[in-house]
Amino acid sequence: MTTAASRGLDPEVYRGDFPILSQGVRDGRPLVYLDNAATTQRPRQVIQAMVDTYEHHYANVHRGIHWLAERTTELYEAAREKVRQFINAPAGEQIVFTSGTTGAINLVARSWGDANVRAGDEILVTEMEHHSNLVPWHQLAERTGAVVRHLPLTEDGRLDLAPFDALLSRRTRLVAVTAVSNVLGTINPVEEIIRRAHDVGAVVLVDGAQSVPHLPTDVAAMDVDFLAFSGHKMLGPSGVGVLYGKRDLLEAMPPFLGGGSMIRRVTLEGFDPGDVPARFEAGTPAIVPAIGLGAAIDYLAAIPADAIHEHERRLVERAHEALASVEGLRIIGPPPEDKAGIVTFTLGRIHPHDIAQLLDRHNIAVRAGHHCAMPLHRRYRLSATTRASFYFYNTPAEVDALAGALDQVRQVFQRRK
Ligand code: PLP
């Protein structure tokens, strides 16, 4: 059977929707935007949905009884329903709007963590986590006396599952793991991790910041307890993200932030918290960003999710081949078949900041540094790397432009020796 993925996705069909991609940034040359793991670009449809809201449908949500407030509330709740469908969550109440992945993970650490983790309990993370999925657990451990343990990495950039069973025990309260590494691109076997963690009674939080935008996501099939992701990494605006949680876990969690909207009743003596998800959305939420995220999901849902992954895999394959011809270039991480659209590398002894700066002269945007993953870099005895990260609107020609420019970077530094 011919699937959408096997037919391939034509990025040119979509590029025209992204005003920023056709903008010449220097000398009239187009931008080659390869920094999608940091943040993606927005299509006109998302920008317009937000402009329309500000121009025609804007008031506060869940407060007013005038028609404008009701209209905005409808749009805000429709966005929640779009998120629900996109990740196949059983109910809209299980979708909490947060400020992003970081906000979602901190909410779990503060609310679920403080209520459920005690001195001597263990939290299991991995050596490839983004700081957003490490620091909140260190902070929880500092508050409670729990211990943070970690699953190591193999030399070729995968999770080493060999010691997993030995690390898991009845003391393990939570396993926090990313579905896709933001540095190595590695796609982790999260379903297996969830199954094995559940066998010892541990709760699993999956960081979906780099997976939900790129891979089909089905929280019901995964049986995941918590999933966190960000709007701005999936065509939506910054300032909004999502925490999905199993209903029984969310309902048992105390509120983290207190304020308007999250209560049932307040007296001078105390308060009764509201139901989920309102209990976790204190104050005026990111109304227009949430509606923008809904528009981003409309856009993404019209593209077969497996076609996005397949297109990115082909770009990664091409990048691995093309970059191999650049003398001294070393890709960190597994082979293309085990990765999402991320290629991270070193080039001889040239500092990644210099590489990124010289690529910028070719109008190629990449990221350089530790990518908020210092333990991972320490594991590979590196302080920084350069990362090219793709989305469905990137083209094979852009990959070739990267390889060509990197060869010129190498030559510039060779001449300087
Ligand atoms: N987790 C991963 C794997 C990421 O790549 C990122 C952002 O780069 C985050 C968490 C944090 O996302 P945000 O800054 O949107 O909260």
Side-chain angles (χ1 to χ4, degrees):
M1 200 179 77
T2 317
T3 61
S6 65
R7 276 198 305 276
L9 172 157
D10 178 4
E12 297 302 340
V13 168
Y14 305 102
R15 287 180 70 86
D17 290 334
F18 292 79
I20 223 167
L21 297 180
S22 55
Q23 163 181 275
V25 286
R26 204 172 291 141
D27 308 330
R29 283 180 301 173
L31 170 69
V32 176
Y33 186 74
L34 303 180
D35 197 13
N36 293 287
T39 197
T40 58
Q41 298 301 340
R42 269 133 282 287
R44 213 169 258 116
Q45 290 84 337
V46 170
I47 298 166
Q48 198 53 48
M50 298 201 292
V51 170
D52 280 349
T53 307
Y54 279 125
E55 286 187 350
H56 304 292
H57 312 294
Y58 184 75
N60 212 328
V61 292
H62 295 301
R63 286 162 172 76
I65 43 171
H66 52 82
W67 70 269
L68 197 56
E70 281 177 9
R71 176 75 189 124
T72 314
T73 303
E74 269 170 29
L75 290 171
Y76 181 74
E77 288 306 318
R80 194 189 308 277
E81 172 58 18
K82 289 172 189 181
V83 173
R84 183 198 73 72
Q85 286 181 19
F86 193 65
I87 61 169
N88 194 32
E93 291 78 14
Q94 294 170 263
I95 306 297
V96 180
F97 283 125
T98 64
S99 59
T101 306
T102 306
I105 296 173
N106 276 275
L107 169 57
V108 175
R110 287 278 172 177
S111 171
W112 179 89
D114 283 5
N116 290 282
V117 174
R118 300 279 167 267
D121 285 348
E122 293 179 2
I123 300 155
L124 185 56
V125 298
T126 86
E127 210 173 2
M128 67 164 68
E129 297 311 311
H130 187 282
H131 297 165
S132 287
N133 204 21
L134 282 176
V135 179
W137 308 120
H138 287 311
Q139 291 175 307
L140 175 62
E142 278 173 11
R143 289 196 299 279
T144 59
V147 179
V148 177
R149 309 189 75 185
H150 73 267
L151 206 53
L153 293 181
T154 62
E155 200 55 38
D156 65 349
R158 293 173 226 256
L159 286 181
D160 182 359
L161 290 183
F164 190 35
D165 283 334
L167 283 164
L168 279 177
S169 76
R170 290 277 158 204
R171 284 191 302 275
T172 315
R173 301 294 292 133
L174 180 100
V175 176
V177 59
T178 190
V180 169
S181 162
N182 67 310
V183 181
L184 308 166
T186 318
I187 301 173
N188 289 324
V190 282
E191 291 188 16
E192 181 189 343
I193 291 170
I194 291 166
R195 193 170 35 76
R196 286 163 72 175
H198 282 173
D199 284 347
V200 298
V203 161
V204 181
L205 178 140
V206 169
D207 175 346
Q210 300 294 346
S211 64
V212 175
H214 303 274
L215 302 170
T217 304
D218 182 333
V219 289
M222 285 163 83
D223 196 25
V224 66
D225 300 297
F226 294 113
L227 175 75
F229 54 100
S230 298
H232 70 97
K233 293 187 196 283
M234 51 190 291
L235 311 182
S238 56
V240 69
V242 172
L243 172 68
Y244 158 81
K246 281 193 180 156
R247 189 188 275 271
D248 56 336
L249 290 170
L250 289 176
E251 283 179 348
M253 279 161 53
F256 163 43
L257 293 177
S261 287
M262 48 69 71
I263 44 81
R264 190 187 310 281
R265 199 174 67 99
V266 182
T267 63
L268 289 175
E269 288 74 37
F271 74 98
D272 293 329
D275 292 331
V276 295
R279 183 188 305 172
F280 303 115
E281 294 181 7
T284 299
I287 301 168
V288 177
I291 293 168
L293 174 57
I297 287 177
D298 285 341
Y299 192 97
L300 280 176
I303 309 171
D306 56 349
I308 293 180
H309 175 48
E310 180 55 25
H311 176 70
E312 291 170 8
R313 201 187 55 73
R314 287 179 195 176
L315 293 178
V316 166
E317 232 166 45
R318 193 178 182 108
H320 272 239
E321 272 169 31
L323 268 52
S325 64
V326 181
E327 200 186 310
L329 192 143
R330 182 165 74 97
I331 293 174
I332 320 290
E337 58 272 20
D338 295 334
K339 302 215 294 193
I342 290 174
V343 177
T344 291
F345 55 88
T346 56
L347 179 51
R349 297 176 64 82
I350 309 173
H351 196 283
H353 286 167
D354 292 333
I355 297 172
Q357 211 160 21
L358 287 174
L359 289 177
D360 183 51
R361 292 196 190 155
H362 295 258
N363 292 344
I364 299 174
V366 296
R367 170 111 184 246
H370 55 63
H371 318 296
C372 299
M374 282 182 169
L376 180 151
H377 279 78
R378 191 168 314 122
R379 161 67 178 82
Y380 296 110
R381 299 166 295 282
L382 296 165
S383 58
T385 50
T386 308
R387 177 183 74 186
S389 52
F390 308 118
Y391 211 9
F392 62 87
Y393 44 63
N394 288 122
T395 66
E398 290 181 312
V399 173
D400 297 345
L402 172 69
L406 280 169
D407 202 45
Q408 291 187 31
V409 171
R410 180 193 62 78
Q411 287 174 34
V412 166
F413 274 83
Q414 208 161 35
R415 278 200 297 273
R416 282 190 193 167
K417 269 196 205 160

